[in-house]
C-alpha cells in the first residue's frame, strides 16, 4: 500500500465527518459554496471539490473556514466521537 493510501485508510471516517460537519455548518449559516469559496479566494467549484473531499483540506484552511463561520476548534470538534478501527 502506498504511503498516501495508508494514511487515507486510517483517517477516512474522521475526514469525512469533518467535511460533513463543515457542510452542515455552512448551510446553518445560510452561506453558499460560492460565498465561502469567494471569502477563501477559491472558486465555488474549487470549494465544492474541497467539501466533497476531492481537494484535501489542510489545517490552516480548516481554521480559516471556522473563523468565517465564527466557530472555534473546541466547539467544532465537541460532538466528534472516537473513530477506532479494529
Amino acid at each position: 500500500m502506498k504511503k498516501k493510501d495508508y494514511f487515507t485508510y486510517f483517517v477516512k471516517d474522521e475526514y469525512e465527518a469533518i467535511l460533513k460537519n463543515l457542510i452542515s455548518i455552512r448551510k446553518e449559516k445560510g452561506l453558499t459554496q460560492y460565498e465561502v469559496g469567494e471569502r477563501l479566494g477559491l472558486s465555488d467549484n474549487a470549494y465544492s471539490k474541497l467539501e466533497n473531499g476531492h481537494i484535501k483540506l489542510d489545517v490552516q484552511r480548516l481554521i480559516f473556514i471556522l473563523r468565517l463561520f465564527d466557530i472555534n476548534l473546541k466547539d467544532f470538534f465537541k460532538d466528534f466521537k472516537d473513530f477506532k478501527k479494529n
Side-chain angles (χ1 to χ4, degrees):
M1 182 182 300
K2 293 180 181 180
K3 189 174 185 179
K4 180 181 175 184
D5 295 334
Y6 180 79
F7 289 121
T8 300
Y9 172 79
F10 284 103
V11 299
K12 183 178 185 232
D13 294 337
E14 293 89 339
Y15 189 71
E16 288 176 359
I18 288 168
L19 296 178
K20 285 180 185 178
N21 201 16
L22 283 177
I23 294 167
S24 175
I25 293 168
R26 176 182 57 76
K27 289 179 179 181
E28 284 175 15
K29 298 286 183 179
L31 297 168
T32 65
Q33 288 179 335
Y34 176 81
E35 292 168 324
V36 176
E38 187 175 60
R39 292 179 188 178
L40 292 171
L42 301 171
S43 68
D44 57 330
N45 188 37
Y47 186 75
S48 173
K49 287 181 180 181
L50 190 144
E51 276 191 350
N52 290 308
H54 300 292
I55 296 174
K56 294 298 178 193
L57 175 65
D58 58 33
V59 174
Q60 292 90 349
R61 191 167 281 158
L62 172 62
I63 292 169
F64 190 73
I65 292 168
L66 293 179
R67 285 186 181 168
L68 290 176
F69 293 164
D70 196 29
I71 295 177
N72 65 44
L73 283 170
K74 184 177 180 181
D75 290 339
F76 181 76
F77 286 108
K78 73 178 180 184
D79 294 328
F80 279 71
K81 55 186 173 187
D82 194 9
F83 293 90
K84 291 188 177 176
K85 297 225 184 229
N86 295 327

